[in-house]
Amino acid sequence: MTKKLLMAVFLSYSTFSFSQLTAGSENVVSTAPIYVGYGMSVGDITGTGKLDIVSEISDPNFRYLGTLQDIKGFPIYTAQTHMTQATGNFYGSVLGDLDGDGDLDMVTAGPNGSLTSPNNVYYWSSSNSRYEYVGSAYELDNKVFYGVAATIGDFTNDGKPDVVWFGTGSKIYLAVNTTAVADNITFSGITQLPNATSNVSAISNNRIATGDFNADGNLDILVSDNGSYGGNAGGYYQLLYGNGDGTFTEYIEPSSNDNFITINIAVDDFNNDGKLDFIMLRAKNSPKASEVIMYHRNVTNTGFDKTTLHTSTYYSKELVFDDIDTDGFKDILLLDNGSKNINIMLNQGDDVTFSSSPDLSFNVPGIQLFRLIDMTNNGKKEVLTIHYPGKVAYYEISDSSLSVNSKEDYNLSLFPNPTSGKITLNAKNASEVNKIEVLTIDGKLVKVIDALSNTKSITFDIDGESGLYLIQVSTTNGKQSTFKVVKN
């Protein structure tokens, strides 16, 4: 029995709508010429709580960094043309604080060439409010290195984030961070890792992830793998287990020779067992197909248990694995690269079962990438879309599966959601609410709060363990409204 049906059985005294998800209209954030290719990163550059985009400028003959700051407020676009123009496109990028000043610096990867090769480091200058060019430190470009991705992490356990570049030709380079002064990033040197090979299947930093997968206290690197770069596809992943001293022990999941390539990887403790898991999107062009695979770290901490979560008959370019309907379970969102549809498959309540066909599919012309971000600061994530050429927008997704009536009709609001336990119900009309009931997802009554006449606002605790709860509000006119609330 699915979670949606389960809710309907236990709450049959209310009338529910099963239209599920709907997408609102497009909300354009910016039309600045931010390039939506592979060298794009999203983060809070200055640590002020704002959300920013750093990318290459969209003109392929005009290779500079561009910043689009405060995309959730009043976006400000700046072309970083004060720096020397790069000689090639940015094939990968990653943001991180390399000099410990609280600002996000940037590392890019790209074709080798001159000193302005895209294999670079840029630091954020707070005094100038812009990025400054560190350059191809220690002549990385002279190593005849074609970079396709980069990542940042403390791989030497000295408390400073190091840089690893990945490239073609089985080459991986490590730069050990020795920075002692803000805005003066230095490395002890850049060396090729002798005990690791690069089988990066796709270009972009979202194909590289870090984490301590074997819980030994050392940072590991997870890399997408197509079996052999430029060769036969069919690979899954490459895992570099960190030794804590800048060296790694390599494991490569054997290739299946099925012509799939790994498109995306995302890391988290998805089953809340204290071990890091990861989810993977693989796709192929002929015939077109995609598959989403979950790798849970096994109970012996020696490897992963593999489960296929979803398959489709189109080539998917992007995977987002997140909770779109705020029910406490992460859902699958895929981008069909042909139709430019975003397809959403809802989790059915057990972390491994998903709708076989989309619960919502909506078209976004010109889309290249998308993310789930709370753009409106209402505690619910919207679909942030990034288009070519140079447009950033977002779509609000509404879930009507548990709506008795429109909550706006009764002027009710409930926040925060998710909550750590305490939650507040507001009613614009003090005479509207006369009872609040808190129920578990299986229909068990947890709490009843009544005698609420002439109360505009009430704060109460959700008693019980973490999970999904239903808050049913009864109004004085005999009608009811139901909210879904996640308790962390």
Side-chain angles (χ1 to χ4, degrees):
M1 182 180 295
T2 68
K3 63 175 179 180
K4 302 296 181 186
L5 181 57
L6 188 66
M7 293 174 188
V9 169
F10 282 102
L11 298 172
S12 59
Y13 50 80
S14 298
T15 302
F16 291 89
S17 166
F18 287 89
S19 58
Q20 306 292 342
L21 304 180
T22 56
S25 58
E26 180 185 67
N27 299 277
V28 177
V29 173
S30 170
T31 56
I34 287 289
Y35 185 55
V36 297
Y38 302 116
M40 187 203 76
S41 293
V42 179
D44 181 5
I45 296 174
T46 58
T48 55
K50 298 177 181 179
L51 192 63
D52 314 306
I53 294 176
V54 188
S55 183
E56 181 181 357
I57 294 174
S58 60
D59 186 341
N61 298 313
F62 190 66
R63 297 188 178 102
Y64 294 96
L65 280 183
T67 56
L68 184 63
Q69 294 179 261
D70 195 14
I71 63 172
K72 293 170 67 173
F74 300 94
I76 300 174
Y77 169 72
T78 306
Q80 308 284 316
T81 56
H82 60 282
M83 294 183 290
T84 304
Q85 184 176 186
T87 57
N89 292 100
F90 304 136
Y91 285 169
S93 68
V94 61
L95 292 171
D97 185 5
L98 293 173
D99 54 1
D101 62 355
D103 300 327
L104 292 182
D105 309 302
M106 189 174 192
V107 178
T108 59
N112 60 293
S114 67
L115 289 177
T116 53
S117 162
N119 295 309
N120 287 326
V121 178
Y122 304 86
Y123 72 91
W124 180 261
S125 171
S126 56
S127 59
N128 296 324
S129 297
R130 68 186 190 185
Y131 277 103
E132 300 288 356
Y133 176 65
V134 175
S136 294
Y138 301 92
E139 299 182 340
L140 180 66
D141 53 284
N142 289 341
K143 299 180 184 298
V144 193
F145 178 65
Y146 197 111
V148 296
T151 191
I152 293 174
D154 182 8
F155 303 111
T156 55
N157 289 338
D158 61 357
K160 296 179 180 179
D162 309 306
V163 178
V164 172
W165 280 275
F166 295 82
T168 61
S170 299
K171 294 180 180 178
I172 302 177
Y173 283 95
L174 168 69
V176 178
N177 191 347
T178 57
T179 302
V181 180
D183 294 350
N184 185 24
I185 297 171
T186 58
F187 302 99
S188 62
I190 295 180
T191 57
Q192 183 176 355
L193 297 179
N195 62 333
T197 60
S198 174
N199 290 322
V200 182
S201 68
I203 301 167
S204 181
N205 59 304
N206 62 358
R207 279 73 175 177
I208 309 293
T210 59
D212 185 5
F213 291 95
N214 56 356
D216 64 352
N218 301 318
L219 195 60
D220 312 315
I221 305 175
L222 181 68
V223 187
S224 62
D225 183 9
N226 71 348
S228 175
Y229 189 93
N232 293 325
Y236 291 89
Y237 68 93
Q238 174 183 2
L239 188 53
L240 304 179
Y241 287 105
N243 298 318
D245 58 359
T247 65
F248 298 85
T249 301
E250 180 184 50
Y251 171 79
I252 298 178
E253 178 76 358
S255 173
S256 62
N257 296 316
D258 59 3
N259 292 321
F260 278 82
I261 63 172
T262 303
I263 303 297
N264 274 70
I265 290 174
V267 173
D268 203 347
D269 179 10
F270 293 119
N271 58 355
N272 298 313
D273 64 351
K275 302 184 184 74
L276 278 183
D277 316 303
F278 65 94
I279 190 170
M280 170 191 298
L281 168 64
R282 301 175 78 232
K284 65 177 180 179
N285 260 317
S286 182
K288 294 186 183 301
S290 300
E291 61 181 12
V292 179
I293 302 174
M294 174 66 77
Y295 288 86
H296 284 123
R297 191 71 178 176
N298 61 25
V299 294
T300 59
N301 198 31
T302 56
F304 297 89
D305 296 325
K306 176 181 174 183
T307 305
T308 299
L309 303 182
H310 180 76
T311 59
S312 59
T313 56
Y314 56 83
Y315 186 94
S316 181
K317 182 179 180 180
E318 285 290 320
L319 163 71
V320 170
F321 191 58
D322 208 339
D323 185 7
I324 188 66
D325 59 348
T326 63
D327 65 353
F329 298 96
K330 292 189 175 181
D331 309 302
I332 292 174
L333 292 83
L334 296 176
L335 171 60
D336 183 340
N337 195 45
S339 68
K340 300 301 182 183
N341 284 347
I342 294 178
N343 297 321
I344 301 175
M345 280 65 64
L346 293 177
N347 191 309
Q348 298 301 299
D350 60 1
D351 286 322
V352 294
T353 305
F354 296 82
S355 305
S356 57
S357 58
D359 293 278
L360 173 65
S361 180
F362 64 102
N363 187 250
V364 185
I367 184 175
Q368 296 294 312
L369 305 171
F370 75 99
R371 301 288 186 267
L372 277 191
I373 293 174
D374 182 4
M375 291 295 295
T376 58
N377 296 320
N378 64 352
K380 185 177 180 181
K381 294 180 180 179
E382 286 78 39
V383 178
L384 179 71
T385 58
I386 304 161
H387 307 239
Y388 182 83
K391 182 174 74 171
V392 179
Y394 69 89
Y395 293 80
E396 294 187 55
I397 306 298
S398 300
D399 180 12
S400 59
S401 62
L402 287 179
S403 294
V404 179
N405 291 288
S406 172
K407 299 168 183 62
E408 289 75 17
D409 291 344
Y410 303 117
N411 299 311
L412 303 176
S413 63
L414 195 71
F415 67 92
N417 187 14
T419 177
S420 59
K422 195 174 294 294
I423 198 160
T424 298
L425 176 74
N426 281 342
K428 291 184 179 180
N429 189 333
S431 63
E432 285 181 341
V433 179
N434 63 2
K435 184 169 67 172
I436 300 172
E437 293 176 290
V438 181
L439 302 96
T440 62
I441 189 60
D442 59 0
K444 179 182 178 181
L445 185 63
V446 175
K447 175 180 288 188
V448 177
I449 305 168
D450 51 19
L452 298 176
S453 299
N454 299 315
T455 301
K456 283 189 176 182
S457 179
I458 182 171
T459 299
F460 56 94
D461 290 315
I462 297 179
D463 303 321
E465 299 178 349
S466 300
L468 179 64
Y469 289 83
L470 305 175
I471 310 298
Q472 182 160 288
V473 182
S474 300
T475 61
T476 53
N477 60 6
K479 295 184 179 180
Q480 295 174 330
S481 208
T482 302
F483 297 82
K484 290 186 298 182
V485 174
V486 176
K487 180 180 178 182
N488 292 328

